[in-house]
Amino acid sequence: MTGESQLRGDIVEVGRRMYARGYTASNDGNISVRLGSDRLLMTPKSVCKGFMTPDMMCITDLDGRKLQGDRDPSSEMLMHLEVYRQRPDVHAVVHAHPPTATGFAVAGIPLDRAVLAEVLTTLGSIPIAEYATPSTKELPEAVRKYIRAHDGMLLANHGALTVGGDLFGAYYKMETIEHFAKISLVARLLGRENLIAREEVDRLQGLRGTYGIAAPAPICADPSEALAALDSGDPAVCQVVQAPEGGGQRLVADLVARAAAPKRSAAATPGTEDEREIRLTYRELSALIEDAIRSLR
Ligand SMILES: [Zn+2]
């Protein structure tokens, strides 16, 4: 067990890194670690995570009662307490608002596509916990649905949450989520994603043990069945990963993304009359808009 003064210093360091990397702005974000079997060491409310000192931390019990510290514990303490209740294996919790991952959380797009091997072997999939008012009891309820099966999740229109067996393990998962979100965004801007086939995903899942990574839950055998169970309010017991059958191929071009990509020319992509691209000069477009405005009057 790492000593208290070391853990205080580690929280300061992780806070500094989160702020330096732009994962938090102003006083956003919070960090906690287990201190023995019955206490938590936690960041205080209303401080910038980039400028903390070891003496600022609060010590609470597992019900959130403050035992030590000049400041009050984090405003998101309830969310942290819920994670420790649900996951005895977790020793650290990190919450931040990394902008690209949070963009996905705002768009309602989970990071659950089979795209990067290192994400599949470490986090698996990253779902989105339903929107909840920050700092209220709603947030732990939203997190409870996913936390048994996931070490990282997005929080709808809010940010991201990661957990780990130690503080740096939890923090690195936050880095992985933001990195994955950036790569996913670039691939989608480029117009397509080649997905890792289900057979290869199964192989990577088998490698989790080889790397000494203990994911909290297996990848769902039937993602649509698992999503239906989630919709009916059941907590997640496996990880939904979007991975198509490969039919012998290890990468599968994603047709959905390709269909949504901008069409380069009408000739190259014959479609229905409504979908075909047309080109107008600025003068022609202005005339059309003026016409439309005249007819409105
Ligand atoms: Zn937050």
Side-chain angles (χ1 to χ4, degrees), residues 126-129 142-143 146-147 150-155 159-162 177:
I126 299 129
I128 305 180
V143 166
Y146 293 97
I147 193 62
H150 298 85
D151 281 351
M153 70 187 76
L154 304 178
L155 309 174
L161 174 75
T162 53
I177 287 181

Side-chain angles (χ1 to χ4, degrees), residues 124-164:
S125 74
I126 299 129
I128 305 180
E130 282 78 8
Y131 178 75
T133 308
S135 311
T136 68
K137 281 184 186 161
E138 286 177 15
L139 194 53
E141 277 165 29
V143 166
R144 190 184 308 143
K145 187 168 172 182
Y146 293 97
I147 193 62
R148 292 231 177 179
H150 298 85
D151 281 351
M153 70 187 76
L154 304 178
L155 309 174
N157 289 58
H158 182 169
L161 174 75
T162 53
V163 304

Side-chain angles (χ1 to χ4, degrees), residues 197 199 245-252:
E199 300 86 327
E245 296 293 336
Q249 301 293 316
R250 293 202 285 180
L251 294 179
V252 182

Side-chain angles (χ1 to χ4, degrees), residues 64-127:
R65 279 182 288 264
K66 189 168 89 168
L67 304 174
Q68 195 185 315
D70 297 335
R71 296 163 186 259
D72 286 334
S74 163
S75 55
E76 295 295 9
M77 178 176 67
L78 296 175
M79 175 170 71
H80 290 244
L81 296 175
E82 184 64 29
V83 173
Y84 292 114
R85 259 196 291 275
Q86 298 289 331
R87 292 281 302 273
D89 60 311
V90 162
H91 283 257
V93 177
V94 171
H95 165 58
H97 305 167
T100 312
T102 304
F104 276 83
V106 169
I109 302 171
L111 291 164
D112 65 353
R113 311 191 98 199
V115 175
L116 297 175
E118 71 273 20
V119 176
L120 289 165
T121 50
T122 54
L123 280 149
S125 74
I126 299 129

